[in-house]
Amino acid sequence: MLQVSIYRYNPEQDSQPYMQDIQVDTGGKDLMVLDVLEMIKSQDTTVTYRRSCREGVCGSDGLNMNGKNGLACITPLSETVKNNKLVIRPLPGLPVIRDLIVDMTMFYTQYEKVQPYLQNDTPAPAIERLQSPEDRAKLDGLYECILCACCSTACPSFWWNPERFIGPSGLLQAYRFLADTRDTATTERLAQLDDPFSVFRCHGIQNCVNVCPKGLNPTRAIGHIRNMLLSRAT
Amino acid sequence: MVTSVTSFGRSGLSDWLLQRVSAVILLAYVVFITASVWGGVDFVTWKALFSQTWVRIFSLLAVLSLAAHAWIGMWAVLTDYLTERLMGTKGNVLRIGFQILCSLTIFVYVVWSIQILWSY
């Protein structure tokens, strides 16, 4: 029997959060953490969490499992369970709405700040804006982000300054548009980032790289942004 | 764009660059001082060392680097932990208080260092 400890909090009933211990019979199979949550929910329907695609594409079930952020649907028990114990908490640093569900408003506000859409002030061509394969390759490792918030909520700089530091996820997206040869707003984008908080609260500890379920590297993207700022301002 | 009037250079990039440059200067100075005192040093050689203008200039450069480095570092720590977000309005009072204390301490050390370097 797997010993599962789940963070529970229902603001309508509980004065404060608590951990609930539940025994789960996995039948000796190496299930995904989401499967375990589904088994628990079939017994206790009040356990609440977000999930959708259950295959690591939608980014809904970002959770903290045994101290490490990740997607419950693609995290096998063998990867996270130590001593037959699994502790499941919501993503750290964001306000909890209920049980494992967090309010992601601060995360999305930072995402919105980087204007995550293509800006081009030249007249639109008849068919589409073409890119060379080399230019397109510059977006690899950037466009794959699914906004699950595992990285930003693993970042102490984002914990302390979620209103001012854009966070690894938002900065990866910022660089995705800075690196895009079809985008013409590079100067304006960079001008928005040159303050002591937006980019420079990153101290390069790479928690984001450590937890990204898609294997992306926000720290490297932040380094590229810094180099772009540096080459323009020196 | 986040506005800040208490950071060293008002720009994240300039603070970041200065933090790195000052770190390199401090490393060079530590290596220089360590090499100078390696194997023992007496008053006469120490005085002779610091009577050279270039040593005084290098020392002053190291002091100014330390001042900038300390301010940028302490400012980052204070704006992380002593904030309204973590402590309520008390955080603002504490942060500004510690910022004044830090800048005053750094200022005193800089003036004192200049006095020491050019006093003998």
Side-chain angles (χ1 to χ4, degrees):
Chain A
M1 295 290 264
L2 180 68
Q3 311 282 328
V4 185
S5 179
I6 295 192
Y7 179 100
R8 301 298 309 267
Y9 180 56
N10 180 354
E12 287 168 14
Q13 292 170 12
D14 309 324
S15 58
Q16 57 182 3
Y18 62 96
M19 299 302 290
Q20 183 183 4
D21 291 322
I22 302 165
Q23 306 249 344
V24 178
D25 182 12
T26 58
K29 282 183 271 184
D30 189 14
L31 303 172
M32 296 294 175
V33 174
L34 181 64
D35 298 327
V36 174
L37 281 171
E38 302 276 275
M39 290 164 92
I40 292 170
K41 196 172 175 71
S42 66
Q43 292 165 24
D44 179 355
T45 53
T46 64
V47 175
T48 314
Y49 51 88
R50 287 196 186 103
R51 53 90 70 203
S52 183
C53 76
R54 60 100 187 97
E55 56 184 3
V57 174
C58 72
S60 303
D61 63 352
L63 295 170
N64 186 280
M65 295 159 286
N66 276 349
K68 188 178 174 185
N69 290 354
L71 297 177
C73 56
I74 54 168
T75 304
L77 292 176
S78 57
E79 203 175 274
T80 182
V81 171
K82 301 258 159 35
N83 300 323
N84 202 38
K85 194 157 172 61
L86 176 63
V87 181
I88 305 175
R89 293 173 180 273
L91 291 174
L94 295 177
V96 174
I97 295 172
R98 182 171 162 167
D99 293 346
L100 302 173
I101 295 179
V102 289
D103 179 357
M104 298 186 36
T105 307
M106 286 193 291
F107 175 80
Y108 290 133
T109 303
Q110 295 300 344
Y111 178 52
E112 198 181 348
K113 267 199 214 171
V114 306
Q115 305 182 341
Y117 40 86
L118 198 76
Q119 295 177 43
N120 191 319
D121 50 17
T122 59
I127 307 169
E128 58 193 296
R129 294 188 196 278
L130 294 173
Q131 259 188 324
S132 68
E134 293 76 29
D135 285 341
R136 169 59 188 77
K138 291 175 185 164
L139 308 181
D140 288 340
L142 303 169
Y143 79 93
E144 298 94 331
C145 174
I146 55 171
L147 298 172
C148 63
C150 286
C151 59
S152 290
T153 57
C155 175
S157 289
F158 188 76
W159 296 341
W160 312 141
N161 283 296
E163 295 98 346
R164 297 188 283 189
F165 174 49
I166 287 174
S169 172
L171 290 169
L172 187 91
Q173 294 293 329
Y175 185 62
R176 182 249 171 274
F177 289 97
L178 286 167
D180 196 318
T181 50
R182 297 165 298 180
D183 191 279
T184 57
T186 310
T187 307
E188 294 79 8
R189 289 179 187 280
L190 287 174
Q192 286 300 312
L193 298 172
D194 181 23
D195 63 79
F197 284 98
S198 301
V199 174
F200 291 94
R201 260 309 128 125
C202 169
H203 300 307
I205 64 164
Q206 305 196 25
N207 275 16
C208 51
V209 183
N210 187 34
V211 299
C212 178
K214 308 300 278 187
L216 308 180
N217 191 328
T219 308
R220 193 191 297 141
I222 294 167
H224 286 310
I225 296 176
R226 211 155 43 205
N227 288 345
M228 288 179 91
L229 284 165
L230 198 60
S231 55
R232 276 162 193 255
T234 48
Chain B
M1 190 64 135
V2 181
T3 312
S4 171
V5 295
T6 50
S7 70
F8 190 86
R10 310 292 180 272
S11 138
L13 183 67
S14 100
D15 280 10
W16 178 84
L17 187 61
L18 197 58
Q19 194 75 335
R20 265 93 200 141
V21 172
S22 60
V24 172
I25 293 169
L26 286 169
L27 178 69
Y29 193 72
V30 167
V31 170
F32 163 70
I33 286 294
T34 312
S36 304
V37 300
W38 200 260
V41 65
D42 57 18
F43 179 74
V44 178
T45 50
W46 188 253
K47 188 168 166 55
L49 180 68
F50 276 87
S51 63
Q52 303 170 84
T53 305
W54 76 268
V55 176
R56 291 179 180 179
I57 291 173
F58 189 22
S59 301
L60 182 62
L61 184 66
V63 167
L64 295 178
S65 296
L66 183 64
H69 198 90
W71 178 251
I72 294 167
M74 286 307 292
W75 182 83
V77 172
L78 296 176
T79 49
D80 262 354
Y81 300 113
L82 300 182
T83 59
E84 189 169 352
R85 176 174 176 76
L86 292 184
M87 313 170 92
T89 43
K90 192 177 67 181
N92 291 335
V93 178
L94 273 174
R95 187 177 66 256
I96 293 163
F98 272 98
Q99 283 178 345
I100 292 169
L101 191 70
C102 273
S103 50
L104 203 62
T105 310
I106 290 168
F107 177 71
V108 168
Y109 272 113
V110 167
V111 175
W112 193 15
S113 303
I114 294 169
Q115 198 187 11
I116 292 168
L117 285 170
W118 269 274
S119 67
Y120 70 100

